[in-house]
Amino acid sequence: MRIVIGQGSCGIAAGAEKVRKALLNVDVRCDISITGCIGMCYLEPIVDIYDDNNTLTRLVKVSETDAQAIADYVNNGDKSAVEKLIVTEEDSQFLTKQTRIALRNCGIINPEEITAYTATGGYDALKKALGMTPEEVIDIIKVSGLAGRGGAGFPTWFKWNAARQSAGEEKYLICNADEGDPGAFMDRAVIESDPHNLIEGMLIGAYAIGAKHAVVYVRAEYPLAIKRLKNAILQATEAGIIGENIFGSNFSCDFMIKAGAGAFVCGEETALIESLEGHRGMPRLKPPFPAQSGFWRKPSNINNVETFANVAWIINNGGEAFAAMGTEGSKGTKVFAVTGKVKRSGLVEIPMGKTLRDVIFDIGGGMKTDKPFKAVQMGGPSGGCIPADLIDTVIDYKALGATGAIMGSGGMVVMDESTCMVGMAKFFLDFTAKESCGKCIHCRIGTKRMLEMLERITNGDGKEGDIELLEELCYSEYEAHIHDKKCPAGECSALIEYTINADKCRGCTLCARNCPVGAITGTVKNPHVIDTDKCIKCGKCYSVCRFDAVVKA
Amino acid sequence: MENTINLSLLDGVLSEYAEVKGSLITILQHTQEIYGYLPKEAIELISEKTGIATSDIMGVGTFYTQFRFEPVGKYLIMLCQGTACHVNSSELILQTIQDELGIDDGQTTEDGLFSLKCVACLGCCSLSPVMMINEDTYGSLTPDKTKKILKELREAAL
């Protein structure tokens, strides 16, 4: 038997390391190791127990107090004490309904051991690629139809080919791991859970374009990803996989990690290059494109983490196998980080061509609240919100683009009726206004002015003419804010009124005791009343009431 | 505070990176790791050793959200402002922290224990709303849970 504990950042934050320590403190007679992100983030911490036939018993929402029960199961086969922790059939389907290529090793292998990766056939694709010409490698990627998973969906082979054909001996292969879209964490999971897969994909890319230097630009907010990637680079270097004459070939390539310092705009490739060179991350004018003049003005190719995570699989299985999945215009699979008001949040990899409903309802289990689904935000600040009536939209670059949103890097933030769309727009404008690098006036001034308008509207001071100015945004909900001075979602505090439902109120006095301005009156066991003139709409009464008696409208 | 800056702590970083082109951000990151922020004296020394003008260093330092120019408290609270946290009411958590500690985004409590910083997505969206305090991540926050965490940290510091 062996025990494997899921230790991605989310798992650790949920308590996986405490569980591991607790298991080390009880007498468990089997090997205890770690793996990365299993993807069922809503069930963390997760402990997987494999028996000698490699049959898996998965325990979920484990706490350190369960350690002895786990020991009893492992040592004596006494299942009774862990029975309540075993994952349900319904929850298991969260994974069994997925098709995992980029995430194929995530949550299975130990990300800190190169031998765990090579045991799955890791680095075989690199060996295979080195036996081909770079043109043949690019051709396989062309047949696969792989497109940039960072969001834009540009054909990967085209970029590789442009960099390959660019004149010059010194070239750079760069991985964009500056996962800046709020709500997206696919790339973090890949690096934390399967760093060698990224390295292998990058080395194949470097060979294809003729680069001798590979650089990974990672967000500083991802310390665990940086630590595991550094460790993996060290192991691969010791194994002769990074460095001079890789696998005895003429191909040599070194590796470097650069940590970003927190700037959303650095996800844009020319801003990323500026940042790599130690400057402010201000985008450069294009052309020239990085393929002609990139890092240190040398030909450079930049792809996203998930794009590279598909490469080794494609080389091993052939471009046709990858292209057999998906739609006419979008091939292969895509990873989504599904979060927000959805019941089962986590990482979902599915073939292109599935619908949003498949992801949010079939795999994600629908809403975790009793409120109906309202919209899903995709593509981060550059994307948009797809409303409920478009839930059957097919996942495909073109079809998603037609809704006004974009595929994006894979963040899917699910919202129910309690999320205000005007507030959501304000949230993103606040983000883009803060993150604007200031180079172009449209963004520097435009986002600020729009934010001011939305602040006015959500404070109840919206006026005629505002809608026309913001007309591309969600219409009816804006009208309610401006004309009726109501926020249908009940989120914009200036437009909300709190009252107490006398039938539900038990007179427990909790709300009155919590009200910071003494706006609630009433005696014990009798319904209380809110003085709306005194009320500052802080929402404390609403959040403390145990009987749902406080009404927010 | 300013008088106690020990600049010799930077020797290792500067000997490794001062001559390597493109290393300014890396140098600033190490400097902040050492002092907790970027002291004025350190910036002047970096300028002297790298030949980069202090104005350029300030330009880079102020561009990226990671860098600070003031010391922070013993506990740096980084409250996630990502979309998933927004949808799951991170605003309530911000209000709770403000009420409990009496500080706004970017401020430090008078006793020097807590600093509050609202940050971009921390990438732990499944546990939203989330905050990081120093190296530890706290997820699925509620106002009560947040108060409890702050109370425990305050007691631990006594």
Side-chain angles (χ1 to χ4, degrees):
Chain A
M1 275 204 174
R2 61 193 172 95
I3 292 179
V4 179
I5 304 167
Q7 292 219 341
S9 287
C10 297
I12 293 172
E17 181 57 16
K18 284 182 191 150
V19 171
R20 195 181 72 90
K21 284 194 176 135
L23 282 170
L24 292 175
N25 278 329
V26 293
D27 173 34
V28 185
R29 276 168 249 142
C30 78
D31 180 54
I32 299 173
S33 66
I34 63 156
T35 186
C37 173
I38 293 163
M40 305 167 102
C41 309
Y42 68 109
L43 295 175
E44 297 279 7
I46 300 175
V47 173
D48 284 349
I49 302 171
Y50 291 90
D51 69 11
D52 297 334
N53 299 320
N54 227 16
T55 307
L56 168 66
T57 305
R58 172 161 287 157
L59 309 181
V60 300
K61 293 193 174 173
V62 179
S63 88
E64 57 256 54
T65 54
D66 298 318
Q68 191 54 52
I70 294 172
D72 290 344
Y73 172 55
V74 171
N75 298 343
N76 316 316
D78 173 14
K79 218 171 188 176
S80 62
V82 295
E83 207 75 59
K84 65 178 192 336
L85 301 172
I86 295 174
V87 68
T88 64
E89 178 52 33
E90 203 191 340
D91 282 325
S92 296
Q93 289 181 2
F94 179 83
L95 286 182
T96 52
K97 285 179 176 173
Q98 300 190 29
T99 305
R100 291 190 154 195
I101 291 179
L103 302 180
R104 61 193 179 280
N105 296 321
C106 295
I108 299 170
I109 67 167
N110 185 337
E112 297 183 353
E113 301 290 345
I114 190 171
T115 47
Y117 183 65
T118 49
T120 67
Y123 291 113
D124 286 353
L126 175 62
K127 274 184 208 153
K128 194 173 166 187
L130 292 176
M132 303 180 211
T133 65
E135 288 76 12
E136 283 168 341
V137 174
I138 293 175
D139 216 44
I140 293 177
I141 299 300
K142 185 178 181 179
V143 170
S144 76
L146 177 65
R149 295 294 192 245
F154 201 74
T156 303
W157 78 270
F158 192 91
K159 285 173 79 165
W160 286 16
N161 196 45
R164 161 124 216 111
Q165 298 197 336
S166 209
E169 272 298 297
E170 204 181 346
K171 294 180 186 178
Y172 290 91
L173 189 280
I174 300 168
C175 174
N176 181 350
D178 188 47
E179 189 167 50
D181 280 358
F185 55 92
M186 305 76 48
D187 296 346
R188 173 177 66 71
V190 169
I191 304 173
E192 284 176 2
S193 315
D194 198 10
H196 287 285
N197 183 25
L198 172 64
I199 294 173
E200 185 173 15
M202 287 181 67
L203 287 170
I204 294 168
Y207 174 69
I209 71 164
K212 293 189 183 69
H213 312 285
V215 186
V216 187
Y217 184 88
V218 198
R219 290 182 79 192
E221 289 91 336
Y222 288 173
L224 184 65
I226 294 176
K227 183 180 147 220
R228 290 202 177 141
L229 186 59
K230 270 188 183 157
N231 173 60
I233 290 172
L234 204 70
Q235 290 175 344
T237 308
E238 279 168 7
I241 294 166
I242 291 172
E244 298 293 319
N245 303 103
I246 297 169
F247 289 133
S249 71
N250 291 328
F251 172 59
S252 303
C253 187
D254 56 35
F255 246 83
M256 179 172 85
I257 299 181
K258 277 258 187 176
F264 174 69
V265 70
C266 291
E268 193 280 331
E269 56 183 12
T270 60
L272 185 152
I273 289 170
E274 283 290 317
S275 183
L276 276 181
E277 294 180 3
H279 306 134
R280 289 164 68 91
M282 311 278 268
R284 295 176 181 170
L285 282 176
K286 292 193 273 193
F289 291 93
Q292 285 88 43
S293 171
F295 190 31
W296 301 127
R297 308 285 158 176
K298 304 289 181 198
S300 307
N301 175 71
I302 303 175
N303 293 123
N304 154 276
V305 174
E306 191 189 332
T307 313
F308 285 124
N310 284 303
V311 169
W313 189 94
I314 293 171
I315 297 296
N316 276 328
N317 294 276
E320 292 84 358
F322 192 78
M325 288 175 285
T327 62
E328 202 188 332
S330 306
K331 301 299 187 191
T333 59
K334 176 79 194 87
V335 183
F336 293 100
V338 185
T339 60
K341 298 284 188 183
V342 70
K343 195 185 283 175
R344 301 185 204 124
S345 63
L347 286 181
V348 176
E349 181 171 1
I350 38 124
M352 301 275 193
K354 294 267 186 184
T355 64
L356 294 174
R357 185 189 297 279
D358 291 334
V359 176
I360 296 166
F361 286 89
D362 190 29
I363 296 176
M367 300 304 100
K368 66 179 173 188
T369 59
D370 51 7
K371 296 194 171 73
F373 168 71
K374 184 172 190 172
V376 57
Q377 206 285 332
M378 288 184 71
S382 330
C385 295
I386 302 179
D389 58 340
L390 295 176
I391 184 76
D392 289 308
T393 303
V394 166
I395 293 169
D396 166 283
Y397 286 102
K398 212 170 162 185
L400 287 169
T403 66
I406 55 170
M407 173 87 76
S409 61
M412 257 195 204
V413 184
V414 178
M415 293 168 263
D416 67 11
E417 288 291 344
S418 68
T419 305
C420 170
M421 301 315 290
V422 189
M424 181 55 74
K426 188 177 82 172
F427 165 79
F428 274 112
L429 272 170
D430 182 56
F431 181 88
T432 44
K434 278 182 190 151
E435 292 290 342
S436 171
C437 81
K439 183 165 182 162
C440 310
I441 195 164
H442 313 73
C443 170
R444 187 177 69 237
I445 312 270
T447 51
K448 184 160 170 53
R449 287 286 171 262
M450 280 163 75
L451 177 62
E452 285 165 0
M453 278 170 72
L454 290 181
E455 271 168 351
R456 227 176 45 230
I457 294 174
T458 52
N459 281 327
D461 299 322
K463 54 182 190 228
E464 294 303 327
D466 280 352
I467 288 184
E468 287 70 22
L469 280 167
L470 294 164
E471 64 185 12
E472 72 270 36
L473 300 169
C474 178
Y475 198 82
S476 63
E477 206 161 329
Y478 283 78
E479 280 196 322
H481 282 73
I482 295 168
H483 299 145
D484 309 333
K485 303 291 177 201
K486 291 270 177 218
C487 171
E491 191 184 298
C492 299
S493 58
L495 303 173
I496 295 169
E497 207 169 271
Y498 288 96
T499 50
I500 292 174
N501 180 336
D503 293 337
K504 283 188 175 174
C505 178
R506 308 267 188 93
C508 74
T509 75
L510 190 60
C511 58
R513 280 183 280 132
N514 273 280
C515 178
V517 292
I520 305 178
T521 49
T523 51
V524 182
K525 295 195 176 162
N526 289 309
H528 283 45
V529 181
I530 299 175
D531 180 343
T532 48
D533 289 335
K534 272 192 188 171
C535 174
I536 54 165
K537 300 171 185 177
C538 69
K540 287 238 164 61
C541 52
Y542 183 79
S543 63
V544 298
C545 181
R546 293 192 296 257
F547 309 104
D548 270 342
V550 179
V551 183
K552 177 163 105 169
Chain B
M1 199 93 193
E2 298 273 315
N3 298 327
T4 60
I5 302 290
N6 178 2
L7 289 174
S8 66
L9 296 174
L10 279 176
D11 289 351
V13 178
L14 287 171
S15 62
E16 187 174 352
Y17 293 106
E19 306 283 320
V20 183
K21 67 171 182 174
S23 297
L24 179 58
I25 293 172
T26 311
I27 294 172
L28 295 181
Q29 283 169 333
H30 284 293
T31 306
Q32 186 158 293
E33 248 169 55
I34 293 170
Y35 301 106
Y37 70 110
L38 301 178
K40 189 168 160 261
E41 293 85 344
I43 291 172
E44 282 163 357
L45 182 68
I46 293 166
S47 171
E48 192 186 306
K49 298 284 179 189
T50 59
I52 302 171
T54 48
S55 57
D56 282 339
I57 298 177
M58 286 306 286
V60 170
T62 52
F63 185 84
Y64 297 96
T65 53
Q66 188 187 8
F67 299 118
R68 303 180 287 267
F69 299 92
E70 299 285 335
V72 286
K74 181 176 165 68
Y75 300 112
L76 174 62
I77 305 170
M78 287 175 283
L79 182 68
C80 180
Q81 301 283 291
T83 322
C85 287
H86 170 80
V87 168
N88 283 321
S89 308
S90 60
E91 191 62 32
L92 268 182
I93 309 303
L94 175 63
Q95 212 170 41
T96 306
I97 296 172
Q98 286 171 332
D99 290 353
E100 285 293 300
L101 303 178
I103 49 172
D104 273 328
D105 183 14
Q107 295 180 338
T108 301
T109 52
E110 271 179 26
D111 57 9
L113 266 191
F114 293 96
S115 295
L116 172 62
K117 189 159 172 55
C118 293
V119 297
C121 185
L122 293 168
C124 288
C125 313
S126 319
L127 300 170
S128 59
V130 177
M131 65 179 172
M132 264 178 99
I133 301 182
N134 297 347
E135 300 290 300
D136 295 317
T137 309
Y138 300 85
S140 310
L141 296 172
T142 60
D144 280 344
K145 195 171 167 185
T146 309
K147 281 183 209 166
K148 201 171 147 239
I149 293 164
L150 296 177
K151 188 165 167 259
E152 281 171 6
L153 288 175
R154 184 178 283 131
E155 281 164 6
L158 289 177

